[in-house]
Amino acid sequence: MIKENSQEKRGETAGKGIIHGISAIYLFMVACMVPLYMYDGYYGLSSGKFILYRNIGFLFLPILLFLIIGKGIRGIKQEERLGKSGIGRNKFLLLPEICLLLYGLCNILSFLLSPYKREGMFGAGGWYMGLFSQLSFLILYFYYAYVWEAEKEVVAVILTVCGFICVLAVLNRFGIWPVAFRGRTENTLSTIGNTNWLCGYLSVMMPAGMVLFWGSLRSGCRKQAGKQRGKIAAGLFTAAAFLCAAIQGSDSGLLVTGTVLSFLFLISCRDTEDMDAFWDVFLTAAGAWLIGALFRDCFPQRILYDSRSLSLIHMTIMVPVFLAALVCRGLWRLWSSKAEPEKCLRLLARMKKGFLILGVILLLAAVLFTAAGLWGSDELKSHFPYLPVFDEQWGNGRGGIWKECMDIWLSESTVRKLFGVGPDCLRVFLYTEQGNNPLLSTAYREAVLTNCHNEWMTILLNTGLAGLFTYVGFLAGMARRLLKKGNLSSWIGAAVLVTYTIHNMVSFQQITSTPLLFLILGLAWNGSCADKSSE
């Protein structure tokens, strides 16, 4: 009897080890190999990455789905046996999970109702955000949130790969190509490709590494000598990511940088130790920008590409920024060390409140000026001659795209308003049914319009109001849950969610960023529950 029990335990342990190995391999492939993979340089880069993502999905996703269902059934049976009805860690039917499941259902219904099923299954060529990708995102989240056994080493591996990609992008921008990738242009960098895609990748990975570095700088971690190497590694990653975002050339890098620093400032307003860590992170970022400016001014002939964001990387700008960061850090440390703790907390609370009010005012102003620029009359626009009214030409034509796409959605039938034209079917719908639209016949005569350059608007057209409502419900529910949890893992997840969402107001879902969003949200929720249970 004892022998049988021991054999059963060994078999169970071996089975768990195999399952864990399978899920670890899949995680590594999605988070590391897909961003790194290049089949033929920059030729067909997105197609090559998606084929890799699809093929490993065919192999691993059915296994992960089976394990998710098994975990859910066991959790329900265990709660019934114990007579529990409360919400626990293994309870799937929580608000974000309900919204995510409904989002998957909306994608399925949109696909079934769409006349473009060939395009809807895998998505438009070059983008591939069809039904397969959308459902894979659900499996990624549920498995790594509820089945995966958290391992902190995984984060280190993922950030190491991202750090390599960032360093390679910086070298490429300076005209240094350790590997001569075929098809390279001024607008392609590292193994991600287009600078817009690189910013999408950074919108997920940069906040994860930055918040991890911030957490290692807080006083509770400063005294742990064994974590010094991890702190140094996280600091190097943070410097590389901030430098990459500044020097890659796309203005989206400014949006990513501003968002992650704003988020970090807000969560640092809890106490003086967190604010100390914030100023250290900001000083690290300023130091990285200063190094980039130094090399750019010393070797101006190395960078042939130019943009508004790159124009900021000069010594005349970055030296004052670095000195200001250094002075602010010193003044904060000096004042907080002498002031009473309660006085510090009151000041931090006022700083947070003022920052939030300013953010709301700027957001409302942006919405109002965008609406005035896109849908307002010429007479209305004439009243704002010196204010930034966003017209059809704003954002490389994004204003015109948004206006036309909203008008198209409003003109569609009720069914299409609710469920859209099909997952990632916007391109085939536009060129099949809207071919005479001025947006396609004039502005995009020499190019192909695949999405709205706004994630939420693209979802609205692809999967309708139902798809958008459930997707936003999932993001809002996750943001509230992670912020409420209040530990390092949850802050990492919240930072990634907020930065990705704000960046994608002017961008789109990508195979090198959106799977990582759902993966990191799952890992963050898993890790935050593990952190809580170990306290």
Side-chain angles (χ1 to χ4, degrees), residues 134-362:
Q134 301 300 326
L135 295 181
S136 73
F137 302 156
L138 272 67
I139 296 174
L140 271 170
Y141 169 77
F142 277 108
Y143 184 84
Y144 290 100
Y146 289 97
V147 184
W148 170 259
E149 294 181 5
E151 286 187 1
K152 294 181 180 178
E153 292 79 6
V154 168
V155 178
V157 174
I158 296 173
L159 292 180
T160 299
V161 170
C162 181
F164 168 78
I165 290 173
C166 290
V167 170
L168 185 59
V170 172
L171 292 175
N172 294 164
R173 180 52 72 213
F174 279 102
I176 301 171
W177 294 84
V179 179
F181 298 131
R182 293 184 70 236
R184 69 191 188 196
T185 67
E186 292 180 355
N187 202 37
T188 52
L189 296 172
S190 195
T191 61
I192 303 297
N194 186 286
T195 53
N196 290 326
W197 284 57
L198 180 60
C199 287
Y201 178 69
L202 288 174
S203 73
V204 177
M205 300 308 304
M206 191 162 97
M210 181 201 67
V211 175
L212 186 66
F213 179 47
W214 170 81
S216 70
L217 291 170
R218 293 154 69 205
S219 63
C221 299
R222 292 177 191 271
K223 300 173 184 177
Q224 300 178 23
K227 295 189 176 182
Q228 288 299 312
R229 283 183 297 180
K231 181 168 67 176
I232 293 170
L236 291 173
F237 168 84
T238 300
F242 273 108
L243 179 57
C244 178
I247 213 163
Q248 46 78 36
S250 172
D251 292 342
S252 297
L254 297 176
L255 182 61
V256 172
T257 299
T259 302
V260 295
L261 288 174
S262 298
F263 179 88
L264 190 65
F265 176 81
L266 287 173
I267 65 172
S268 298
C269 286
R270 301 184 326 133
D271 57 46
T272 55
E273 294 169 351
D274 289 348
M275 188 54 69
D276 287 347
F278 167 79
W279 286 115
D280 287 341
V281 172
F282 186 72
L283 189 62
T284 301
W289 299 333
L290 183 64
I291 292 172
L294 176 63
F295 277 95
R296 188 182 184 193
D297 286 356
C298 289
F299 307 100
Q301 73 282 2
R302 301 296 304 179
I303 297 182
L304 303 177
Y305 188 84
D306 197 17
S307 68
R308 281 175 293 184
S309 59
L310 263 173
S311 65
L312 300 174
I313 307 300
H314 286 291
M315 292 295 287
T316 53
I317 297 175
M318 288 304 144
V319 168
V321 169
F322 179 79
L323 292 176
L326 193 63
V327 170
C328 287
R329 177 181 178 270
L331 290 175
W332 169 258
R333 289 279 179 90
L334 180 63
W335 183 83
S336 61
S337 64
K338 295 182 177 180
E340 297 178 359
E342 292 183 1
K343 190 175 181 180
C344 290
L345 293 177
R346 284 196 300 270
L347 175 63
L348 289 172
R350 286 196 293 268
M351 290 166 61
K352 183 177 182 179
K353 185 177 179 180
F355 194 86
L356 286 172
I357 292 172
L358 177 63
V360 171
I361 292 172
L362 291 175

